[in-house]
Amino acid sequence: MLIRQMNINVEKQGKGNSVILLHGWGQSTKAMSIINNHLCSSFTVYNIDLPGFGLSDKPISPFSTLDYANILKDIIDYYSINNPIIIGHSFGGRVAIKYTSLYDNVDKLILI
């Protein structure tokens, strides 16, 4: 998918309430694949490669946590996700915290 002129890899799988998986620094969707595989039988899971990691494009300039949170907002808007559960590992948790401090549409926040 194209977000802010970058290709962002989002793996969508399953059916049910929405869960968003955010990996840690230097990782990719592969780091969250076990969680994804476990949850997709009960939830719609969005496993995201954050910009600069995995199959997503690298930003043309350094990103702040706010930039990553805004990318997450654009992804949520693109898929029309309502009140997701967000699971963030390490840096993904930092992005999730920033996102939830800005936007009031998260059901649960799980930090790993």
Side-chain angles (χ1 to χ4, degrees):
M1 73 180 324
L2 192 62
I3 299 285
R4 297 182 187 228
Q5 300 161 354
M6 289 184 294
N7 288 308
I8 304 296
N9 181 48
V10 178
E11 299 173 358
K12 180 182 174 188
Q13 191 176 3
K15 200 168 198 177
N17 292 340
S18 298
V19 174
I20 297 172
L21 303 178
L22 301 173
H23 60 77
W25 191 263
Q27 298 178 344
S28 69
T29 56
K30 291 178 185 178
M32 304 298 273
S33 64
I34 292 173
I35 296 169
N36 178 70
N37 294 341
H38 180 73
L39 293 177
C40 70
S41 62
S42 301
F43 297 92
T44 301
V45 181
Y46 300 84
N47 195 2
I48 301 170
D49 275 333
L50 293 169
F53 303 100
L55 299 176
S56 290
D57 288 348
K58 293 180 183 179
I60 58 172
S61 60
F63 259 29
S64 67
T65 307
L66 176 60
D67 294 318
Y68 283 103
N70 286 330
I71 291 286
L72 178 57
K73 170 77 165 107
D74 291 346
I75 293 168
I76 287 170
D77 289 347
Y78 177 87
Y79 285 105
S80 300
I81 300 170
N82 294 313
N83 298 313
I85 298 168
I86 300 178
I87 301 174
H89 170 253
S90 188
F91 180 73
R94 187 173 172 200
V95 172
I97 290 168
K98 185 65 171 181
Y99 177 85
T100 57
S101 75
L102 297 170
Y103 305 105
D104 187 28
N105 67 335
V106 176
D107 182 30
K108 293 179 177 71
L109 177 61
I110 300 169
L111 304 173
I112 304 170

